[in-house]
């Protein structure tokens, strides 16, 4: 069975060209990605197919599932989604099975599923979920564009505070009503659902469901950006069944998360990287 990384991002040439030609944000100017929340230096070489395949080999990953994150604003700028789909289908073919993709907010043949923001999930995905269930695909929940940052906020504020808050809200919504609103669809929450297991005792104390009741739902958490402490809590709360290895490449270095996962032993690593995602994505 192949090993998987279920949370990577890759910009095909078609998308980069579209971003470079845009007048409005999001856009690329030289090596700078300009978003509503700020300007960020990007390494466009990290999005070359050969570079990505080399990194997969280095990390012992057979298949990466890539997506265009909703933080890029494609939920309101659909030309970005069109360019991503066109380019990523080409790259997936050239990768000879090493790359698969989540589509941007829609069910498309040949994809692993659809990626939406946490806010989109809360706003309602019943129609999309029904299509994904019929197609045997999954729903990937990822942070979307952030709220304006406080005055003098540090550079890490959006990633650490805003994105995790979005994911916690999405995970709480799903606990409350998502499984009934979208039955039969596997749901993968990025970045451990914003650290969702940390909130379960408080949830129970305020009248929410028991943690055990969540184990029977078709919900998975990807490990992107977390280490031993967070993973240990997730394993003790949900067991190994609910975790999928995700890295958030190239946004962050995957090696700390990968080494933390390896530290739990081969049996855990094999379930999280191989058995769980193979059962989910085939």
């Amino acid at each position: 069975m192949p090993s998987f990384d279920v949370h990577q991002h890759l910009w095909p040439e078609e998308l980069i060209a579209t971003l470079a030609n845009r007048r409005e944000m999001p856009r690329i100017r030289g090596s700078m990605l300009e978003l509503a929340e700020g300007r960020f230096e990007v390494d466009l070489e990290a999005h070359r197919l050969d570079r990505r395949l080399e990194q997969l080999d280095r990390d012992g990953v057979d298949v990466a599932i890539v997506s265009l994150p909703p933080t890029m604003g494609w939920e309101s700028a659909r030309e970005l989604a069109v360019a991503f789909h066109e380019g990523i289908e080409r790259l997936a073919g050239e990768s000879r099975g090493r790359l698969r993709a989540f589509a941007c907010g829609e069910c498309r043949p040949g994809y692993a599923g659809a990626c939406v923001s946490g806010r989109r999930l809360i706003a309602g995905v019943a129609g999309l979920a029904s299509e994904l269930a019929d197609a045997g695909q999954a729903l990937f929940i990822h942070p979307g564009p952030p709220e304006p940052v406080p005055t003098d906020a540090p550079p890490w504020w959006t990633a650490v505070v805003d994105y995790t808050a979005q994911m916690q809200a999405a995970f709480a919504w799903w606990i409350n009503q998502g499984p009934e609103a979208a039955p039969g669809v596997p749901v993968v929450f990025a970045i451990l659902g914003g650290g969702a297991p940390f909130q379960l005792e408080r949830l129970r104390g305020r009248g929410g469901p028991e943690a055990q009741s969540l184990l029977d739902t078709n919900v998975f958490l990807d490990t992107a950006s977390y280490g031993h402490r967070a993973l240990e809590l997730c394993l003790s709360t949900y067991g190994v069944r609910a975790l999928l290895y995700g890295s958030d490449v190239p946004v962050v270095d995957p090696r700390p998360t990968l080494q933390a996962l390896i530290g739990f032993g081969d049996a855990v690593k094999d379930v999280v990287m191989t058995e769980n995602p193979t059962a989910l994505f085939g």
Side-chain angles (χ1 to χ4, degrees):
M1 293 188 292
S3 58
F4 282 77
D5 180 344
V6 305
H7 184 172
Q8 292 201 8
H9 303 300
L10 189 66
W11 298 351
E13 295 175 1
E14 292 86 343
L15 175 66
I16 293 173
T18 299
L19 287 166
N21 289 330
R22 281 176 59 85
R23 293 185 177 182
E24 303 83 9
M25 293 181 285
R27 62 192 181 191
I28 288 177
R29 294 295 181 265
S31 62
M32 301 299 296
L33 172 64
E34 298 183 353
L35 302 174
E37 62 266 29
R39 302 173 73 246
F40 306 92
E41 185 81 28
V42 292
D43 178 11
L44 296 179
E45 293 295 302
H47 295 277
R48 282 174 29 197
L49 178 60
D50 59 343
R51 285 273 299 272
R52 187 59 54 90
L53 295 181
E54 289 173 1
Q55 188 172 45
L56 293 182
D57 290 339
R58 184 200 71 185
D59 294 340
V61 173
D62 296 314
V63 180
I65 303 183
V66 301
S67 60
L68 181 62
T71 52
M72 293 289 288
W74 54 257
E75 287 181 320
S76 58
R78 291 301 297 177
E79 68 270 23
L80 298 180
V82 171
F84 174 77
H85 292 150
E86 179 183 353
I88 211 63
E89 290 170 16
R90 174 181 57 80
L91 290 179
E94 293 175 3
S95 75
R96 299 186 178 183
R98 302 293 301 276
L99 294 183
R100 297 184 64 187
F102 289 115
C104 298
E106 59 183 293
C107 181
R108 295 174 64 91
Y111 283 71
C115 174
V116 300
S117 68
R119 295 189 186 99
R120 165 78 187 279
L121 176 72
I122 294 171
V125 294
L128 173 60
S130 178
E131 293 182 47
L132 293 172
D134 290 343
Q137 298 183 8
L139 184 64
F140 181 51
I141 314 301
H142 189 283
E147 297 292 334
V149 301
T151 303
D152 297 328
W156 47 258
W157 181 272
T158 293
V160 176
V161 178
D162 190 291
Y163 290 168
T164 55
Q166 289 186 45
M167 295 304 297
Q168 286 187 22
F171 190 79
W173 181 90
W174 187 260
I175 288 173
N176 186 54
Q177 59 185 351
E180 296 180 0
V185 178
V187 180
V188 180
F189 286 89
I191 59 172
L192 296 182
F198 307 151
Q199 305 298 334
L200 293 183
E201 291 171 325
R202 181 172 176 83
L203 175 67
R204 182 179 59 201
R206 295 302 179 100
E210 294 285 341
Q212 184 64 35
S213 69
L214 306 179
L215 298 179
D216 298 326
T217 60
N218 206 7
V219 173
F220 300 86
L221 307 173
D222 96 45
T223 63
S225 79
Y226 286 97
H228 185 274
R229 293 173 184 169
L231 298 182
E232 185 175 45
L233 179 57
C234 283
L235 288 168
S236 65
T237 302
Y238 295 105
V240 73
R241 179 209 62 80
L243 288 185
L244 300 171
Y245 172 65
S247 68
D248 207 3
V249 164
V251 180
V252 298
D253 184 347
R255 286 171 288 189
T257 295
L258 187 58
Q259 289 302 314
L261 184 60
I262 291 172
F264 289 100
D266 287 343
V268 171
K269 177 181 73 69
D270 289 346
V271 172
V272 174
M273 293 188 69
T274 301
E275 293 181 22
N276 288 346
T278 298
L280 185 57
F281 300 110

